Amino acid sequence: LVWLLVLSLAWPGPALGGEDKDEEVIEEEEKEKKEDEVLSDEIKEEDNILVLHEHNFARALSEHQLLLVEFYAPWCGHCQQLAPAFAQAATELRNESSPARLAKVDATAQTALANEFGITSYPTLKLFRDGNRTHPLEYTGRRDSQGIVRWMQRQAGPSATLLQDTDTTAAFVSSQDLVVIGFFKDLEGEAAQAFFEVAAEMVDLTFGVAEAAELFQAYGLSADTVCLFKKFDERQTNFPVDPARGLDKAELTRLLRVHSLQLVMEFTNETSNQIFSAKIPHHMLLFLNKSSPEQLSLQDGFRAAAGGFRGEVLFVVVDVTGHGAGVLSFFGMTTADAPTLRLVKMKNNRKYQMEQDNFSDSAIRSFIQAVLDGKVKPHLLSAEPPEDWDKRPVKVLVGKTFEQVAFDETKNVFVKFYAPWCPHCQAMEATWEELAERYKDREDIVIAEMDSTANELENITIHGYPTLHYFPAGPGRKMVEYKSTRDVETFSKFLENGGMLPEEPP
């Protein structure tokens, strides 16, 4: 575009005399001036964000103790979405005279910087501390203005409040629903330093630190220990520091995340993000109608079963007439199915159901243990097959009919797994229909589709939409995932070549 602009300005200038020559000289001087500006180390700002490039990056690092840099692409939708929050955070930090500043780099134009810092996706945020450009810290906070500000404030430190007496510590414990205090006999030691690093990352929790002997005695501690204080459940949970291994930052972070959650969570708009980000591998769900006193009483047995599985299974109550109504279709349920229990394996969304609901704590514990031991088969959703499922060029598969069609040893079956609401699936619909029309008279090739939101398969997990799998004819349960260009001609080459694309000549 710059070249087109220059050409359009220069084009109407035939040799009409010295005046045009002067204009060319002026244009050349302006061009050289712009190049000098780009090459200088001057730092400009937009919305309190430093605009950086390879010629002023080093200066920015030398002038700012803490610098959070967003590497972005102008065309990236995620970058455009982040931009207002990033600008608001930059303004808040600037107004409070924080040593932390925010900056941005167009990684598509500044390729040298992008290569130096290994930028492979947008936006990528990295924190540079004390001018060090060799080991920037990855940003791990929330991507909204408040999350960015809190993360930067915690990085600016101190990440934990020093507590020196019992009265101050007691007030600190009662100040929040959740607080974490690290008790260390040496605040300069490795364990304490690791604790400070964890505190700098977990900005949604409030951290304190203590080394006074009277505080160890007041809280019944004899060795270095991290304590989580809560205004619910067991009130205080201790995590002793292993004398041999020291304090493992990743393990402490995991333990704090797990034990910060209530033993039994209620699924609401406010808690849904906590529930899904908890990184607990299994969720045990009690679906009930909270307007029914009889169903509410079932929570007692549910809670009694929860204590033995903390960290392994998250217990969640779902009100089918409240916020939980929105997830019923995911389980193939309606409000009339409550009360009922389901267990979900989060890594593959496999769902497990008791043969007959029993809400006693012993029955719930036995059911969960049987699932964990691999003794229970998943409960798979399946729609009913349409009467005309094989009458159109694109065959319609459901969970109940998938096996007999996809693994027919006489057919080569090409299946599109889709979600009805997915725009990529909708955009591909006409192409898939055209492909099916092309092969409708071929006895050995079947073009099919399956709605993966209403149908589940035991040994095939669909992670994105649309996903394309090819099931070749012949013995064995073979499956090939198609990952190339999604147009009719490329699909045809793939099918005609037996489930692989032919090698193209150089």
Side-chain angles (χ1 to χ4, degrees), residues 95-160:
N95 290 342
E96 66 182 34
S97 300
S98 169
R101 292 297 305 273
L102 304 190
K104 62 182 180 180
V105 171
D106 179 352
T108 64
Q110 302 300 318
T111 54
L113 291 176
N115 290 333
E116 178 181 354
F117 300 114
I119 307 304
T120 57
S121 61
Y122 310 111
T124 293
L125 280 69
K126 291 181 180 287
L127 177 70
F128 296 83
R129 185 187 294 273
D130 298 326
N132 186 333
R133 68 190 290 163
T134 57
H135 294 91
L137 182 68
E138 294 291 334
Y139 177 80
T140 57
R142 297 201 321 266
R143 296 199 174 193
D144 56 45
S145 59
Q146 185 182 16
I148 294 169
V149 169
R150 290 190 65 182
W151 195 84
M152 292 298 286
Q153 288 171 334
R154 190 66 65 86
Q155 296 298 325
S159 59

Side-chain angles (χ1 to χ4, degrees), residues 7-196:
L7 288 170
S8 65
L9 291 171
W11 188 260
L16 297 176
E19 190 173 324
D20 287 327
K21 187 174 182 181
D22 291 341
E23 288 179 1
E24 289 176 6
V25 171
I26 292 170
E27 283 182 9
E28 188 65 29
E29 289 175 350
E30 289 179 351
K31 181 179 176 182
E32 289 176 358
K33 183 180 178 182
K34 287 180 180 178
E35 288 178 352
D36 289 340
E37 288 177 356
V38 170
L39 294 173
S40 76
D41 67 352
E42 180 185 357
I43 301 175
K44 295 184 177 180
E45 295 188 20
E46 294 177 1
D47 299 324
N48 292 309
I49 300 170
L50 309 181
V51 182
L52 303 184
H53 47 73
E54 60 181 296
H55 299 289
N56 64 10
F57 197 85
R59 175 180 172 182
L61 293 187
S62 67
E63 292 180 354
H64 300 286
Q65 178 187 351
L66 289 170
L67 192 63
L68 181 65
V69 181
E70 176 201 3
F71 295 87
Y72 73 97
W75 44 260
C76 166
H78 297 293
C79 303
Q80 294 162 8
Q81 187 177 1
L82 176 64
F86 203 67
Q88 184 178 341
T91 302
E92 288 186 33
L93 291 169
R94 185 74 182 273
N95 290 342
E96 66 182 34
S97 300
S98 169
R101 292 297 305 273
L102 304 190
K104 62 182 180 180
V105 171
D106 179 352
T108 64
Q110 302 300 318
T111 54
L113 291 176
N115 290 333
E116 178 181 354
F117 300 114
I119 307 304
T120 57
S121 61
Y122 310 111
T124 293
L125 280 69
K126 291 181 180 287
L127 177 70
F128 296 83
R129 185 187 294 273
D130 298 326
N132 186 333
R133 68 190 290 163
T134 57
H135 294 91
L137 182 68
E138 294 291 334
Y139 177 80
T140 57
R142 297 201 321 266
R143 296 199 174 193
D144 56 45
S145 59
Q146 185 182 16
I148 294 169
V149 169
R150 290 190 65 182
W151 195 84
M152 292 298 286
Q153 288 171 334
R154 190 66 65 86
Q155 296 298 325
S159 59
T161 302
L162 179 61
L163 305 169
Q164 296 179 312
D165 56 63
T166 53
D167 290 343
T168 304
T169 305
F172 183 82
V173 168
S174 62
S175 66
Q176 308 274 342
D177 288 344
L178 284 163
V179 299
V180 183
I181 301 179
F183 294 84
F184 299 99
K185 295 185 176 180
D186 178 10
L187 292 185
E188 300 298 323
E190 289 185 9
Q193 294 307 307
F195 176 79
F196 287 128

Side-chain angles (χ1 to χ4, degrees), residues 376-448:
V376 181
K377 286 199 168 187
H379 176 72
L380 302 173
L381 295 180
S382 177
E384 291 300 320
E387 291 185 6
D388 61 344
W389 70 272
D390 62 345
K391 300 297 188 291
R392 297 187 300 108
V394 176
K395 313 307 176 188
V396 180
L397 304 184
V398 297
K400 295 177 179 179
T401 61
F402 182 84
E403 289 274 324
Q404 68 188 62
V405 176
F407 295 108
D408 184 337
E409 295 185 3
T410 67
K411 311 284 188 188
N412 298 289
V413 185
F414 202 12
V415 183
K416 176 185 72 173
F417 297 89
Y418 73 97
W421 43 259
C422 166
H424 300 293
C425 303
Q426 294 162 7
M428 189 180 154
E429 192 172 341
T431 301
W432 204 245
E433 292 283 351
E434 184 180 342
L435 180 69
E437 186 68 31
R438 178 176 292 192
Y439 287 96
K440 68 179 181 180
D441 297 324
R442 285 279 296 269
E443 290 291 328
D444 60 326
I445 292 180
V446 176
I447 307 300

Side-chain angles (χ1 to χ4, degrees), residues 95-353:
N95 290 342
E96 66 182 34
S97 300
S98 169
R101 292 297 305 273
L102 304 190
K104 62 182 180 180
V105 171
D106 179 352
T108 64
Q110 302 300 318
T111 54
L113 291 176
N115 290 333
E116 178 181 354
F117 300 114
I119 307 304
T120 57
S121 61
Y122 310 111
T124 293
L125 280 69
K126 291 181 180 287
L127 177 70
F128 296 83
R129 185 187 294 273
D130 298 326
N132 186 333
R133 68 190 290 163
T134 57
H135 294 91
L137 182 68
E138 294 291 334
Y139 177 80
T140 57
R142 297 201 321 266
R143 296 199 174 193
D144 56 45
S145 59
Q146 185 182 16
I148 294 169
V149 169
R150 290 190 65 182
W151 195 84
M152 292 298 286
Q153 288 171 334
R154 190 66 65 86
Q155 296 298 325
S159 59
T161 302
L162 179 61
L163 305 169
Q164 296 179 312
D165 56 63
T166 53
D167 290 343
T168 304
T169 305
F172 183 82
V173 168
S174 62
S175 66
Q176 308 274 342
D177 288 344
L178 284 163
V179 299
V180 183
I181 301 179
F183 294 84
F184 299 99
K185 295 185 176 180
D186 178 10
L187 292 185
E188 300 298 323
E190 289 185 9
Q193 294 307 307
F195 176 79
F196 287 128
E197 291 180 28
V198 171
E201 288 295 315
M202 299 186 72
V203 297
D204 52 333
L205 288 177
T206 301
F207 286 77
V209 66
E211 68 173 341
E214 66 172 298
L215 293 178
F216 276 78
Q217 184 177 359
Y219 289 92
L221 306 173
S222 59
D224 287 0
T225 306
V226 177
C227 298
L228 174 64
F229 296 92
K230 300 179 276 190
K231 291 185 178 179
F232 53 84
D233 294 340
E234 65 272 31
R235 304 292 174 171
Q236 178 178 337
T237 307
N238 296 343
F239 308 109
V241 176
D242 189 299
R245 294 190 302 114
L247 191 150
D248 185 304
K249 292 186 291 184
E251 178 63 9
L252 177 61
T253 300
R254 188 190 71 81
L255 289 170
L256 291 176
R257 287 282 177 228
V258 168
H259 289 269
S260 293
L261 299 173
Q262 295 185 36
L263 186 61
V264 176
M265 303 282 290
E266 182 177 350
F267 182 66
T268 67
N269 188 47
E270 291 73 29
T271 64
S272 58
N273 186 55
Q274 279 183 289
I275 289 169
F276 289 118
S277 63
K279 295 184 179 178
I280 295 177
H282 306 88
H283 289 184
M284 185 66 188
L285 310 178
L286 169 61
F287 293 87
L288 52 76
N289 186 332
K290 290 191 72 175
S291 63
S292 165
E294 294 81 6
Q295 293 190 25
L296 277 177
S297 67
L298 300 175
Q299 293 180 102
D300 295 338
F302 193 64
R303 171 173 286 276
F309 295 98
R310 190 187 272 280
E312 180 71 12
V313 181
L314 179 64
F315 282 63
V316 183
V317 174
V318 182
D319 180 10
V320 298
T321 60
H323 186 68
V327 302
L328 292 177
S329 60
F330 176 70
F331 293 89
M333 292 167 46
T334 67
T335 55
D337 292 310
T340 188
L341 296 159
R342 297 288 188 278
L343 188 143
V344 184
K345 285 190 176 180
M346 299 305 291
K347 69 176 181 180
N348 56 14
N349 284 332
R350 290 287 179 266
K351 308 171 189 69
Y352 298 82
Q353 178 182 358

